[in-house]
Amino acid sequence: MEPPQIDADDFSRRFSLRASNLMWLLGAGASASAGIPTANDMVWEFKQLLFVSQRRVSPRAVADLSNPAIRAQLQAHIDASGRLPRSGAPDEYAALFEAVYPSETDRRAYLDSKMAGAKPSYGHLALATLMRAQLTRLIWTPNFDPLVADACAKIYDTTASLTTVTLDAPDLAAQVIADGRWPIEVKLHGDFRSRRLKNTNEELRQQDVRLRRVLIDSCRRFGAVVAGYSGRDDSIMDALAEAVEQSGAFPVGLFWLHRGEAPPLPRVSQLLARAVDTNVEAALVRIENFDEALRDLIRLLDSVDTSTLDTFATERRRCSGAPRPAGRRGWPVVRLNALPVVHAPSVCRRVVCQIGGYSAVREAVDKAGVNVLATRTHAGILAFGADADVHAAFHAYGITQFDLHTIELRRLRYESGERGLLRDALTRAITRQRGLNSTRHRSTDLLTPVDPQDVIWTPLRRLVGILSGAVASNPELVWCEGIAIRLDWADDRLWLLVEPRTVFEGITEENKAAAADFARERSVRRYNRQLNDLIAFWSVLLAGGGEEMRALGIGVGVDATFRLSSETGFSKRAQA
């Protein structure tokens, strides 16, 4: 089920008018940039602990949890037990936590160790800034960490301003909300200092009935913004589902902030769809991360005093521009896999008409059979292409405006519709002029040679050997040497990130472990020098001589033109 969606910039504008009437539900993802692992991170650590303790193997054998082959090995062990939920199941985290640490005392000690040293991120401080401006009143969270309280202490310069309610006093939650003792934080599963923590299946199933009722009642008084929460917890999702069925629920909307391009859990999609059916304004909002989302919200609130927040952002700046290495000096540098985008389009075509979302736009372009790149935003359809072709694709939907749209730099800082359109256009330009095929894969595009035997690939063959073939143990798996590319923003400019990769066709659930093993074998001996040479090859190939690349190659209308630099970014040692 495809959930209803709106763009991040659209949400920011709505939030600027409704902030004081929106409560927040914060999940573990909101604390990730503060150094606290997400539930998914802990799930894999639990699997690792079970594997090491039950198989009696060295932890070093399965230390790299980012390796797909190791993950497949761990998951095979969990599946073989027959006692634990499947990978990705809503109750996976709780069941694994209980299997690894049956005692609540041990679970408390584990969580204490994970939260040691964590400090509020920009997002937490931004939220506390909104609290001080009386634009955020109520926060619900299943998190155990004290980051919201710590952020309030920094922004308010006192620990007395925030009212925190835990599982120990569910009646207090109803009382302080009724009395309006803002701001209020309600910890649905307990506080890390509390004598009661809820983090196993049985405990979660017995979510305090009174606290759940307070949450449901609050959903009739406030709209809600959900951030960093996956929707795995049945007790919370049941409460939200019940709230949706109440008359007058979420009076100013229900907005679910979701990171990445992967779909949310089915239950989240079902909740949002049901909310729309009951006339609640509900939508999924795709964001870069919690910190960036709060940065965008703060930007539109001119009346908010951000002096403390601005100081924090300056103090926590982790990078600055580094000069390009020169001469033979031996100071440490790291070559980054990022190519500067020297030139990108500043305008595109804008079309206003009666059409649905992004899927409907793509379908209209495909049906018309025209050479057009287009996306859907709140401003209308944004497109590159010949004017006649753009008209041909969308005239059936009653065009009321047909003009130019300025692509503002501020809207390229996050995963906006404009940045998505530029990503599609840059990939098209590269494939047109560099002899490459492309396959879309979540937030990246996978590029492989059209003809691996072409002479232009001779230098690449010298570096990595043969460029394509089939996996001997799984002949249905066809592979090719290639790269993954992604458009990103850093240091106030666009960059093209380039990652050498083995690209496969024919991957299934049954052979994906074999594909991961094969890819690892091809890359395991690519040390610093080899990787440097690979990045150098792809950088020169993609950038060419710095000449202009055109996405469509048209002479009329609005085309997208780009220029890349072959000089990648570098880092250097930070000065004390």
Side-chain angles (χ1 to χ4, degrees):
M1 176 185 297
E2 186 74 17
Q5 297 188 38
I6 62 172
D7 291 336
D9 65 303
D10 186 356
F11 168 66
S12 296
R13 292 190 296 273
R14 300 187 199 196
F15 182 87
S16 67
L17 299 176
R18 312 177 192 181
S20 61
N21 293 313
L22 285 163
M23 62 184 185
W24 287 75
L25 172 59
L26 299 183
S31 300
S33 63
I36 295 179
T38 65
N40 187 61
D41 295 331
M42 288 191 280
V43 159
W44 284 106
E45 185 173 331
F46 295 153
K47 293 176 182 179
Q48 182 188 55
L49 289 168
L50 288 173
F51 183 87
V52 169
S53 61
Q54 293 172 354
R55 290 286 188 91
R56 298 178 179 177
V57 300
S58 169
R60 291 192 297 272
V62 288
D64 184 7
L65 290 177
S66 65
N67 187 326
I70 289 177
R71 286 196 172 195
Q73 187 179 12
L74 298 179
Q75 190 58 51
H77 174 72
I78 298 299
D79 293 341
S81 73
R83 297 181 294 104
L84 292 165
R86 59 176 175 79
S87 179
D91 58 344
E92 182 183 28
Y93 162 80
L96 284 167
F97 203 170
E98 191 169 13
V100 175
Y101 298 116
S103 165
E104 181 183 344
T105 301
D106 291 337
R107 292 196 293 274
R108 187 195 310 275
Y110 172 85
L111 292 171
D112 283 346
S113 70
K114 293 302 181 185
M115 287 180 283
K119 296 182 179 180
S121 69
Y122 180 94
H124 294 106
L125 291 169
L127 208 54
T129 299
L130 294 176
M131 291 179 187
R132 189 175 62 181
Q134 300 182 31
L135 295 176
T136 290
R137 302 180 183 182
L138 177 59
I139 294 176
W140 300 82
T141 179
N143 298 348
F144 305 113
D145 63 64
L147 293 174
V148 170
D150 291 348
C152 284
K154 186 174 182 68
I155 295 296
Y156 285 89
D157 199 25
T158 176
T159 59
S161 298
L162 177 70
T163 301
T164 299
V165 182
T166 71
L167 275 174
D168 300 289
D171 292 334
L172 179 61
Q175 180 180 337
V176 296
I177 291 173
D179 294 344
R181 298 184 202 169
W182 318 119
I184 299 168
E185 179 190 25
V186 183
K187 315 261 307 183
L188 290 163
H189 292 169
D191 184 88
F192 82 113
R193 293 162 295 215
S194 172
R195 65 182 178 84
R196 292 177 65 197
L197 291 175
K198 295 180 71 171
N199 43 40
T200 68
N201 272 334
E202 185 60 28
E203 293 164 335
L204 295 176
R205 276 193 292 267
Q206 295 179 13
Q207 175 73 288
D208 191 286
V209 174
R210 287 172 293 177
L211 196 57
R212 174 178 167 181
R213 177 51 53 189
V214 176
L215 172 58
I216 295 171
D217 290 344
S218 296
C219 292
R220 299 180 63 182
R221 181 175 178 181
F222 296 94
V225 181
V226 183
Y229 179 57
S230 64
R232 295 180 185 276
D233 186 341
D234 282 342
S235 63
I236 294 177
M237 293 303 294
D238 286 346
L240 295 178
E242 184 175 342
V244 162
E245 302 299 333
Q246 305 294 311
S247 175
F250 303 106
V252 295
L254 170 60
F255 304 99
W256 199 291
L257 308 190
H258 180 73
R259 187 177 179 217
E261 294 189 1
L265 290 178
R267 187 146 193 207
V268 174
S269 298
Q270 292 162 9
L271 174 71
L272 295 176
R274 179 56 186 161
V276 171
D277 289 342
T278 57
N279 296 318
V280 172
E281 182 183 346
L284 190 80
V285 183
R286 295 189 181 275
I287 62 170
E288 187 75 17
N289 54 56
F290 178 62
D291 290 350
E292 290 299 322
L294 266 295
R295 194 183 303 274
D296 291 339
L297 297 183
I298 289 287
R299 190 177 290 119
L300 293 184
L301 299 169
D302 295 334
S303 61
V304 175
D305 179 6
T306 62
S307 54
T308 304
L309 190 59
D310 294 339
T311 300
F312 169 84
T314 301
E315 292 173 350
R316 291 292 293 269
R317 182 173 172 86
R318 297 181 179 181
C319 64
S320 59
R324 182 175 182 272
R328 297 181 178 275
R329 294 184 62 187
W331 48 270
V333 296
V334 175
R335 183 177 199 165
L336 305 179
N337 61 326
L339 301 181
V341 180
V342 177
H343 172 77
S346 59
V347 296
C348 62
R349 183 63 72 193
R350 184 177 78 106
V351 181
V352 177
C353 63
Q354 299 299 317
I355 196 171
Y358 178 74
S359 298
V361 170
R362 291 291 299 269
E363 183 179 345
V365 171
D366 292 342
K367 184 177 179 180
V370 291
N371 190 23
V372 169
L373 294 171
T375 192
R376 184 74 165 92
T377 71
H378 181 71
I381 298 168
L382 304 184
F384 293 113
D387 289 350
D389 288 343
V390 176
H391 271 287
F394 304 114
H395 77 278
Y397 299 92
I399 296 175
T400 57
Q401 294 184 50
F402 192 91
D403 52 22
L404 292 176
H405 175 82
T406 300
I407 300 174
E408 301 179 54
L409 286 180
R410 66 181 181 85
R411 293 180 55 76
L412 301 181
R413 298 173 185 270
Y414 57 94
E415 290 288 353
S416 62
E418 283 90 337
R419 195 163 106 182
L421 181 63
L422 291 190
R423 166 195 168 177
D424 291 345
L426 180 54
T427 298
R428 178 75 68 87
I430 289 172
T431 56
R432 276 190 71 245
Q433 298 183 227
R434 300 293 185 257
L436 292 160
N437 291 318
S438 70
T439 303
R440 193 177 185 92
H441 182 71
R442 297 181 182 174
S443 62
T444 63
D445 291 318
L446 305 179
L447 307 186
T448 55
V450 173
D451 179 9
Q453 303 307 315
D454 192 293
V455 67
I456 65 172
W457 305 111
T458 299
L460 182 59
R461 283 193 290 271
R462 293 196 188 104
L463 293 174
V464 301
I466 60 174
L467 302 185
S468 62
V471 178
S473 60
N474 297 77
E476 76 282 3
L477 268 177
V478 178
W479 64 271
C480 188
E481 182 72 22
I483 52 173
I485 63 170
R486 179 164 62 90
L487 197 60
D488 210 340
W489 180 276
D491 196 28
D492 291 327
R493 67 187 304 175
L494 282 172
W495 299 80
L496 182 67
L497 305 188
V498 180
E499 178 193 348
R501 184 181 293 188
T502 303
V503 179
F504 293 91
E505 291 182 14
I507 290 185
T508 64
E509 284 295 321
E510 290 72 27
N511 62 26
K512 66 179 181 181
D517 288 342
F518 182 84
R520 182 170 179 272
E521 286 300 317
R522 277 189 62 82
S523 62
V524 71
R525 297 189 181 279
R526 295 179 183 177
Y527 303 118
N528 288 351
R529 183 178 298 278
Q530 290 84 354
L531 280 175
N532 179 72
D533 292 342
L534 263 180
I535 294 295
F537 167 81
W538 285 110
S539 299
V540 171
L541 178 86
L542 295 176
E547 74 273 10
E548 188 177 83
M549 295 187 295
R550 300 169 67 86
L552 304 175
I554 57 177
V556 293
V558 183
D559 202 348
T561 60
F562 298 88
R563 284 192 294 113
L564 302 175
S565 170
S566 61
E567 294 183 359
T568 61
F570 287 85
S571 73
K572 70 171 183 177
R573 177 184 293 165
Q575 301 298 314

